[in-house]
């Protein structure tokens, strides 16, 4: 066995050395060509191609590939060794098999989908389905041109069983830093299906905590750009993430995959920029404080919660009805008379508005009608009998044209929204009966905000929809593909509006209902989103394997879901074992709570763990504890929602701000019934906290544990240090 391994290692070492030498030769040759800076278009195109090749080769040089697949398919008389890398690299000689195959290429899908067995493997090529036999599947770890690891996950010539998880477990055991990394060397079969799914489909992905759904979505973007390079561009793709810190956390993945220029934003930032609204948007911390910082626990969530109601399709239909009602009340009542003796009848203006310019949205229709009126004025002015009369008529016409234009409604989302909530004077014919379903509390609070010219994030979908109905959208504003991360916290109205801004329903919508701690604004079931599409426009995938945490942590978290949430969306852990989850009572040896937490963090960070976090129940708790610990731990970071960068290292933050992040070790502070009640929402909140941990999880408490944690230490956890 050892001899076989040494032989494989030496073979791969020789292949790696030869590959690096060839890549270096090609790179040096391209660098020796003087960069063209002239104005000849053909030469500019050639130079752009050379520069793209230079960058690709330079990126490939430290680690050209990560996998090998020996495959015999199609017309091959014997197996061919295919090396799979992040970036494809051709031989210098045209016509030869690629030296390194891009992981997104059709044949590379076999490397991800094949898990062993005697059955043929297949992949979809441009010329059709290609079947063949896999003889060897080998994982390779190369860092800075050094071959560190060779691991065969399948060898047809060996009598040893396949060990498909061995390499995955090795990579998952590595400690985290302050950035999310690509998974291109460890993409699993179920993840690969999502990555390579057809473009014009609204994919909805339910993924358990740690299933890699965010990373899968980012790899899907890289795949779509490769597969549909003639149809889409990176600049026309966008990722919507929950906050700026999360955007910073995922910022390295796409560059690692050789992809640049994809837009990344929060929904609010994008909406405000598109709308050009300069009004202040109420700080989200006010909403978070209401729902998460209340002394009595989370207030009851109903469909009349502002975020749920304003995010509903019912409210979307109200907005449309209000905009449509303006059509009949748009044209001013009287004829247009630019000067005495000249009359443009209202009937003619109505004909232009309702007939000739009917295809245009209201704001553009008004523009067309006013331009038509201006042209009519110019034609009438030509009939003036003298220069003096012409001058006088021009002056009058200009004044009356402006006056007439001012009598039209203001086709502005803010003004219409104020009319909906009676914060501005309503025009004649306004459909008040349409607005009756608005709950009284929402009507009152929104009216108060709007009178102070304050808007909230939950108002933005309505503003965007009004903008669309009034103005339509330009081609520049329409995306080729949209990714929505943490989509369980998005509303159906948000997704329905975004669908207007994307071609062909091309979405990747991903989230986890078990982490739906923002139920006051998000969806409760995925059908709230899938119902927006025809059956052939959407697809649903469930990722149930969790790659983040150890078996012990996943089993503990699953029990919280089973007992506290009554959910069957449970994670299947990868076989990676670690230390038991610890339930630790404060007060050991008479020490204070802060001292106990300091002791725990210092103990966890003294070893190999690079990222360690204390998760508190509220932001107020986090701030107070941070002030207590900072004098002895100057390297400690407070994450309070205001920061845009996750710095790694030692952190303290409220549990509700931890969603999307992950740490080597986590201490959940105050995991008792005083801080986490018996509701499903409390259980989801604690589930989010527990599933942030990769390798180690401690829950510290004072007093009785919540019902859903009772007896855990007798079942799958241990008590004490």
């Amino acid at each position: 066995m050892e001899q076989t391994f040494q032989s494989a290692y030496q073979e791969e070492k020789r292949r790696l050395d030869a590959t690096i030498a060839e890549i270096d030769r090609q790179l040096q040759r391209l660098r020796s060509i003087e960069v063209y800076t002239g104005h000849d278009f053909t030469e500019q195109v050639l130079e752009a191609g050379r520069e793209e090749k230079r960058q690709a080769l330079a990126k490939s040089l430290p680690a050209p590939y990560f996998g090998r697949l020996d495959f015999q398919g199609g017309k091959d008389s014997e197996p061919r060794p295919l090396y799979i890398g992040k970036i494809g690299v051709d031989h210098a000689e045209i016509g030869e098999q690629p030296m390194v195959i891009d992981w997104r290429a059709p044949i590379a899908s076999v490397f991800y989908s094949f898990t062993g067995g005697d059955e043929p493997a297949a992949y979809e090529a441009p010329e059709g389905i290609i079947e063949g036999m896999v003889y060897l599947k080998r994982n390779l770890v190369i860092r800075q041109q050094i071959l560190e690891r060779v691991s065969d996950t399948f060898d047809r010539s060996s009598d040893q069983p396949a060990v498909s998880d061995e390499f995955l477990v090795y990579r998952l055991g590595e400690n985290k830093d302050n950035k999310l990394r690509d998974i291109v060397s460890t993409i699993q079969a179920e993840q690969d299906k999502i990555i390579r799914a057809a473009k014009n489909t609204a994919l909805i992905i339910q993924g358990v905590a740690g299933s890699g759904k965010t990373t899968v979505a980012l790899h899907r973007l890289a795949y779509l750009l490769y597969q549909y390079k003639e149809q889409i561009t990176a600049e026309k793709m966008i990722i919507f993430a929950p906050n700026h810190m999360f955007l910073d956390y995922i910022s390295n993945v796409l560059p690692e995959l050789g992809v640049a220029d994809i837009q990344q934003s929060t929904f609010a930032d994008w909406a405000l920029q598109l709308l050009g609204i300069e009004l202040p948007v109420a700080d989200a911390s006010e909403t978070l404080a209401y729902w998460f910082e209340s002394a009595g626990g989370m207030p009851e969530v109903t469909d009349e919660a502002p975020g749920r109601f304003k995010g509903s399709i019912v409210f979307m239909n109200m907005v449309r009805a209000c905009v449509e009602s303006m059509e009949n009340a748009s044209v001013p009542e009287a004829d247009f008379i630019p000067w005495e003796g000249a009359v443009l009848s209202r009937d003619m203006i109505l004909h232009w508005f309702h007939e000739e310019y009917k295809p245009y949205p209201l704001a553009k229709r008004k523009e067309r009608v006013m331009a038509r009126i201006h042209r009519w004025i110019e034609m009438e002015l030509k009939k003036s009998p003298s220069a003096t009369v012409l001058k006088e008529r021009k002056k009058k016409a200009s004044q009356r044209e402006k006056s007439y234009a001012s009598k039209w409604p203001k086709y502005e989302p803010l003004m219409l929204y104020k009319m909906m909530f009676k914060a501005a004077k309503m025009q004649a014919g306004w459909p008040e009966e349409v607005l009756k379903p608005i709950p009284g509390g929402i009507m009152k609070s929104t009216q108060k905000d709007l009178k102070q010219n304050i808007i909230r994030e939950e108002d933005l979908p309505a503003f965007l929809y009004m903008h669309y109905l009034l103005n339509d959208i330009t081609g520049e504003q329409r995306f080729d593909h949209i990714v929505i991360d943490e989509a369980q916290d998005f509303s159906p109205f948000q997704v329905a509006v975004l669908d207007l801004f994307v071609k062909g329903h091309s979405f990747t919508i991903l989230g986890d209902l078990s982490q739906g701690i923002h139920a006051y604004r998000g969806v409760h079931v995925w059908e709230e989103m899938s119902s927006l599409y025809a059956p052939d426009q959407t697809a649903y995938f469930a990722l149930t394997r969790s790659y983040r945490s150890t078996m012990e942590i996943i089993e503990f978290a699953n029990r919280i879901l089973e007992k506290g949430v009554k959910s069957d969306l449970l994670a299947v852990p990868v076989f990676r074992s670690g230390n038991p989850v610890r339930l630790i009572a404060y007060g050991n040896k008479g020490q204070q709570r802060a001292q106990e937490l300091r002791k725990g963090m210092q103990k966890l960070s003294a070893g190999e763990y690079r990222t360690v976090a204390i998760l508190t129940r509220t932001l107020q708790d986090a701030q107070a504890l941070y002030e207590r610990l900072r004098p002895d731990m100057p390297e400690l970071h407070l994450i309070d929602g205001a920061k845009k960068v996750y710095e790694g290292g030692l952190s303290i933050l409220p549990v509700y701000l931890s969603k999307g992040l992950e740490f080597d070790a986590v201490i959940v502070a105050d995991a008792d019934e005083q801080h986490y009640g018996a509701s499903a929402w409390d259980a989801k909140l604690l589930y989010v906290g527990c599933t942030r941990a990769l390798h180690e999880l401690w829950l510290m408490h004072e007093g009785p544990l919540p019902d859903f944690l009772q007896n855990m230490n007798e079942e799958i956890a241990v008590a004490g240090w």
Side-chain angles (χ1 to χ4, degrees):
M1 183 78 175
E2 180 65 25
Q3 186 176 358
T4 303
F5 170 78
Q6 286 297 330
S7 174
Y9 182 87
Q10 292 302 322
E11 177 190 4
E12 296 301 345
K13 179 72 168 59
R14 288 191 295 272
R15 174 52 160 75
L16 176 61
D17 291 343
T19 301
I20 290 171
E22 175 61 22
I23 291 174
D24 191 52
R25 274 194 297 273
Q26 292 188 32
L27 183 57
Q28 294 309 317
R29 182 182 64 80
L30 285 169
R31 284 175 173 171
S32 69
I33 300 172
E34 186 177 352
V35 175
Y36 181 77
T37 57
H39 302 291
D40 184 276
F41 178 73
T42 302
E43 287 296 331
Q44 287 176 346
V45 171
L46 292 172
E47 177 56 39
R50 287 193 294 268
E51 180 56 26
E52 185 179 347
K53 191 78 177 291
R54 288 185 198 106
Q55 292 183 19
L57 291 169
K59 276 184 173 291
S60 298
L61 205 52
Y65 45 80
F66 53 80
R68 171 179 167 178
L69 184 78
D70 288 9
F71 183 73
Q72 182 181 9
K75 299 177 181 178
D76 296 336
S77 58
E78 58 185 35
R80 293 186 297 154
L82 308 172
Y83 285 83
I84 318 294
K86 287 183 185 178
I87 299 171
V89 180
D90 292 326
H91 277 283
E93 295 79 15
I94 297 173
E96 284 198 37
Q97 174 184 308
M99 190 162 51
V100 179
I101 292 172
D102 192 295
W103 69 274
R104 298 166 291 185
I107 194 170
S109 66
V110 179
F111 182 79
Y112 298 118
S113 63
F114 183 77
T115 55
D118 297 325
E119 296 299 316
Y123 66 94
E124 188 173 351
E127 60 269 27
I129 301 296
I130 306 293
E131 278 198 352
M133 299 298 293
V134 173
Y135 285 82
L136 178 69
K137 180 179 174 181
R138 176 173 288 170
N139 294 95
L140 305 154
V141 177
I142 301 168
R143 290 190 176 97
Q144 298 304 316
Q145 302 185 357
I146 296 172
L147 180 61
E148 293 187 355
R149 189 178 181 89
V150 177
S151 176
D152 289 350
T153 54
F154 177 79
D155 186 350
R156 193 171 294 279
S157 65
S158 172
D159 55 2
Q160 298 295 320
V163 285
S164 58
D165 277 351
E166 187 268 339
F167 181 75
L168 176 63
V169 170
Y170 163 74
R171 295 307 301 262
L172 293 176
E174 297 173 334
N175 292 326
K176 298 295 294 182
D177 57 16
N178 63 326
K179 299 288 185 182
L180 189 67
R181 298 297 177 190
D182 74 80
I183 58 167
V184 69
S185 65
T186 56
I187 293 170
Q188 302 299 291
E190 69 273 18
Q191 296 172 329
D192 192 58
K193 285 181 182 177
I194 295 169
I195 290 169
R196 296 174 190 268
K199 176 174 69 75
N200 288 341
T201 309
L203 295 191
I204 296 175
I205 303 162
Q206 160 60 39
V208 299
S211 58
K213 50 190 176 291
T214 298
T215 320
V216 166
L218 297 175
H219 286 65
R220 174 162 168 73
L221 290 174
Y223 171 78
L224 291 174
L225 282 169
Y226 177 91
Q227 183 68 14
Y228 301 95
K229 51 179 163 284
E230 303 300 327
Q231 303 172 37
I232 63 178
T233 62
E235 295 83 355
K236 291 293 185 181
M237 304 172 101
I238 190 167
I239 302 161
F240 287 112
N243 52 58
H244 295 105
M245 180 175 287
F246 190 87
L247 287 169
D248 175 71
Y249 180 59
I250 67 174
S251 61
N252 277 4
V253 175
L254 290 171
E256 285 177 357
L257 296 173
V259 174
D261 301 323
I262 289 177
Q263 298 181 55
Q264 301 180 41
S265 180
T266 64
F267 180 84
D269 285 350
W270 168 77
L272 291 171
Q273 183 179 13
L274 185 140
L275 293 165
I277 292 177
E278 297 181 0
L279 295 181
V281 175
D283 192 340
S285 62
E286 183 182 331
T287 300
L288 293 173
Y290 174 78
W291 291 103
F292 293 100
E293 305 279 324
S294 299
M298 188 182 193
E300 183 183 4
V301 176
T302 70
D303 285 344
E304 293 191 358
R308 283 283 293 173
F309 181 80
K310 290 181 180 178
S312 68
I313 300 303
V314 169
F315 187 60
M316 182 179 183
N317 291 335
M318 284 186 193
V319 171
R320 186 175 65 248
C322 289
V323 173
E324 288 175 349
S325 74
M326 299 187 70
E327 182 170 1
N328 292 328
S330 287
V331 178
E333 288 295 327
D335 297 336
F336 175 65
I337 303 174
W339 59 83
E340 289 69 20
V343 178
L344 177 60
S345 71
R346 184 171 185 264
D347 287 343
M348 179 57 71
I349 297 172
L350 285 170
H351 173 75
W352 292 342
F353 187 79
H354 289 294
E355 301 295 334
E356 292 196 30
Y357 300 121
K358 179 75 173 176
Y360 294 98
L362 287 177
K364 284 190 168 55
R365 249 197 275 181
K366 176 188 173 182
E367 289 177 12
R368 295 294 191 280
V369 170
M370 290 307 300
R372 187 78 171 265
I373 291 173
H374 187 76
R375 290 197 300 274
W376 178 85
I377 292 171
E378 290 178 336
M379 295 297 292
E380 292 298 307
L381 284 170
K382 291 179 181 179
K383 301 175 184 177
S384 300
S386 67
T388 303
V389 173
L390 174 63
K391 183 178 179 181
E392 185 180 326
R393 286 179 176 179
K394 267 189 177 181
K395 184 177 179 181
K396 280 189 178 180
S398 177
Q399 293 171 345
R400 293 184 182 183
E401 188 178 357
K402 288 178 182 177
S403 175
Y404 185 78
S406 69
K407 295 176 182 177
W408 288 69
K410 288 186 177 179
Y411 296 124
E412 298 170 356
L414 178 59
M415 182 56 65
L416 266 69
Y417 204 63
K418 284 185 174 183
M419 289 165 60
M420 283 187 70
F421 287 93
K422 302 178 182 178
K425 183 180 178 182
M426 291 181 288
Q427 65 180 39
W430 187 259
E432 287 196 63
E433 68 282 355
V434 172
L435 306 178
K436 285 181 180 178
I438 297 178
I442 293 177
M443 175 64 78
K444 185 177 179 180
S445 62
T446 306
Q447 185 183 93
K448 180 182 177 183
D449 284 340
L450 293 173
K451 284 184 176 180
Q452 298 175 19
N453 281 331
I454 294 173
I455 58 176
R456 299 186 180 275
E457 285 192 29
E458 66 219 29
D459 299 317
L460 293 176
F463 277 62
L464 287 165
Y465 192 43
M466 286 177 172
H467 173 83
Y468 166 78
L469 292 173
L470 293 170
N471 301 283
D472 206 349
I473 55 177
T474 65
E476 291 181 358
Q477 294 171 330
R478 190 167 273 114
F479 296 107
D480 291 330
H481 190 79
I482 293 176
V483 169
I484 302 175
D485 206 345
E486 299 291 349
Q488 75 279 353
D489 300 332
F490 266 57
S491 69
F493 195 174
Q494 280 177 289
V495 175
V497 166
L498 285 174
D499 193 48
L500 302 170
F501 286 84
V502 72
K503 300 173 185 175
H505 315 293
S506 190
F507 278 101
T508 303
I509 299 168
L510 53 136
D512 180 12
L513 295 176
S514 296
Q515 298 181 66
I517 60 175
H518 299 287
Y520 54 87
R521 70 169 189 252
V523 296
H524 297 175
V525 292
W526 288 121
E527 284 74 17
E528 291 183 65
M529 288 188 180
S530 62
S531 63
L532 300 173
Y533 303 98
D536 62 342
Q537 295 172 347
T538 186
Y540 175 84
F541 290 87
L543 292 175
T544 58
R545 291 189 85 195
S546 179
Y547 305 98
R548 175 186 296 148
S549 310
T550 62
M551 290 176 59
E552 290 79 5
I553 293 170
I554 293 299
E555 289 172 1
F556 184 88
N558 279 347
R559 282 300 186 87
I560 293 175
L561 289 184
E562 287 179 314
K563 293 184 174 183
V565 184
K566 312 300 183 190
S567 171
D568 58 359
L569 297 173
L570 305 181
V572 178
V574 172
F575 189 80
R576 181 171 72 88
S577 189
N579 292 327
V581 174
R582 294 184 179 276
L583 294 169
I584 303 168
Y586 294 130
N588 186 25
K589 299 180 182 178
Q591 293 173 317
Q592 298 297 314
R593 169 177 172 271
Q595 292 174 314
E596 295 262 339
L597 290 166
R598 180 190 296 111
K599 176 184 172 183
M601 179 163 270
Q602 289 173 336
K603 187 171 183 178
L604 288 170
S605 61
E608 60 183 6
Y609 298 143
R610 288 187 280 179
T611 57
V612 181
I614 294 176
L615 306 182
T616 61
R617 172 61 184 77
T618 66
L619 176 58
Q620 188 176 359
D621 289 342
Q623 291 168 331
L625 189 58
Y626 173 70
E627 293 301 324
R628 293 285 302 273
L629 299 183
R630 186 173 56 170
D632 296 325
M633 305 179 73
E635 71 277 26
L636 183 64
H637 303 293
L638 173 66
I639 298 175
D640 59 3
K643 287 187 176 181
K644 295 187 177 183
V645 176
Y646 169 54
E647 299 172 282
L650 308 183
S651 305
I652 183 166
L653 63 156
V655 64
Y656 62 83
L657 291 182
S658 70
K659 194 147 61 73
L661 300 175
E662 52 188 36
F663 311 92
D664 289 328
V666 166
I667 299 173
V668 179
D670 308 321
D672 46 56
E673 66 178 6
Q674 180 182 347
H675 293 83
Y676 295 90
S679 72
W681 177 82
D682 285 297
K684 284 184 177 182
L685 201 56
L686 197 58
Y687 172 79
V688 167
C690 292
T691 53
R692 300 309 94 200
L694 279 82
H695 311 300
E696 191 102 23
L697 173 63
W698 296 2
L699 292 89
M700 302 185 74
H701 62 96
E702 183 177 12
L705 295 167
D707 288 345
F708 51 81
L709 288 185
Q710 293 292 338
N711 304 317
M712 284 285 207
N713 59 325
E714 299 173 9
E715 299 169 354
I716 51 175
V718 297
W721 297 91

